[in-house]
Amino acid sequence: MAGPRVDILTLFPDLVEPFLKGSLLGQAVRKELLEIHVTDIRAFASDRHRTVDDTPYGGGDGMVLRCEPTVAAVESVHTPGARVLALSPRGRVLDQALVGELAAETQLILLCGRYAGFDERILQETGADELSIGDYVLSGGETAALVVTEAVTRLVPGVLGNPISPLEDSFVGGLLEHPLYTRPSVFRGREVPEVLRSGNHAEVERYRRQESLRLTAERRPDLLEPGVLGEEDRRLLQELGHGKYSRDS
Ligand code: SAH
């Protein structure tokens, strides 16, 4: 499966392009595993001054992104079946489940806001879903669009060096990832847990699962929904003193 074609629509292409060229993303694009395009919304402004924003009806602070150039920019890249996503703090908050859903699309059009935000009719006319990367406010959608792009494209086979690694990440199995260690075996008196050096794969797996469960129960108990835990998981949690997970409820 190839990933979706990603289109980032922005007033500041210079902000996003260097990131897309660097690192694993750039390599994946050069290897043609991914297609990522950046479109300058201002190029679609038809008036003499190339205005892309204007003052809000009803008054208030900040400028509002205008309909004409923004909708024209979306229409210029839109292919049938495209999913249009307007980055916005009002949107559905991105999580790994949504990342998986987006990775299965054929085209993602990521619309970056600036200033006070979008004229509401841009969202209506393009059928955009609003998408947030968290409950805080950025000055523009560019960093958010890069977050979405990186999270989605790392699921595309071949983008990461090691094809099985995304399956072991935090959240994928509903849990946070266990601690990781590499050489040296002792650093400033801190030892790598013995079991990881034992070569006993079953014991290593058990230890890692238990550590994942421990971290998730301590930091993100909200992730331990019914259905995430199996019987062995409940036993492992009980060993850690987390008795309240002893039954599925
Ligand atoms: N007035 C708007 C915020 C505008 S911030 C409001 O209160 O909802 C300017 C732009 O930054 C937004 O249009 C959006 O594209 C982007 N942005 C800000 N915070 C974001 C977030 N948490 N997730 C995604 N995009 C965000």
Side-chain angles (χ1 to χ4, degrees):
M1 177 200 80
R5 161 182 167 151
V6 179
D7 284 273
I8 301 179
L9 276 50
T10 169
L11 290 170
F12 297 96
D14 293 355
L15 285 182
V16 297
E17 271 162 354
F19 186 87
L20 297 173
K21 289 204 182 94
S23 185
L24 288 173
L25 267 184
Q27 271 178 39
V29 169
R30 285 189 291 276
K31 282 196 256 169
E32 294 180 11
L33 296 169
L34 291 177
E35 215 184 311
I36 307 180
H37 301 272
V38 179
T39 298
D40 185 353
I41 297 171
R42 197 176 297 276
F44 294 85
S46 51
D47 62 309
R48 211 157 56 87
H49 298 290
R50 301 214 141 191
T51 50
V52 290
D53 57 338
D54 206 341
T55 54
Y57 275 110
D61 287 339
M63 301 293 274
V64 176
L65 273 186
R66 293 181 51 219
C67 292
E68 298 93 324
T70 314
V71 171
V74 173
E75 289 173 348
S76 77
V77 298
H78 194 284
T79 64
R83 179 122 174 220
V84 185
L85 298 161
L87 282 313
S88 157
R90 302 193 311 197
R92 172 172 167 193
V93 178
L94 188 70
D95 62 13
Q96 193 62 32
L98 180 52
V99 168
E101 200 183 294
L102 298 181
E105 299 282 355
T106 54
Q107 185 187 16
L108 299 177
I109 300 178
L110 304 177
L111 193 49
C112 304
R114 274 273 153 182
Y115 320 118
F118 305 99
D119 185 309
E120 194 67 20
R121 295 165 294 179
I122 295 171
L123 309 174
Q124 295 164 344
E125 190 63 23
T126 61
D129 292 323
E130 290 177 71
L131 177 62
S132 168
I133 62 161
D135 291 342
Y136 40 82
V137 181
L138 306 162
S139 297
E142 287 75 16
T143 47
L146 291 175
V147 166
V148 175
T149 303
E150 188 162 89
V152 168
T153 54
R154 72 195 291 285
L155 297 183
V156 176
V159 170
L160 291 181
N162 176 352
I164 60 168
S165 48
L167 299 175
E168 295 179 357
D169 288 325
S170 287
F171 306 116
V172 173
L175 300 178
L176 302 182
E177 194 178 56
H178 50 77
L180 299 168
Y181 297 91
T182 185
R183 275 180 279 270
S185 61
V186 184
F187 174 70
R188 298 189 181 171
R190 296 173 196 274
E191 266 184 56
V192 174
E194 181 63 43
V195 52
L196 296 179
R197 293 177 283 155
S198 68
N200 181 332
H201 290 295
E203 279 301 306
V204 168
E205 278 319 302
R206 183 178 194 283
Y207 164 84
R208 287 183 166 165
R209 185 77 189 173
Q210 191 168 37
E211 284 298 294
S212 278
L213 289 162
R214 182 179 65 75
L215 286 170
T216 312
E218 283 171 13
R219 296 182 185 177
R220 296 293 308 277
D222 58 297
L223 296 176
L224 295 177
E225 296 160 348
V228 170
L229 298 178
E231 243 174 74
E232 173 66 5
D233 293 333
R234 274 187 265 280
R235 257 197 304 282
L236 291 171
L237 277 164
Q238 251 177 328
E239 274 181 28
L240 296 168
H242 291 287
K244 74 169 170 160
Y245 297 106
S246 60
R247 268 179 302 140
D248 206 349
S249 55

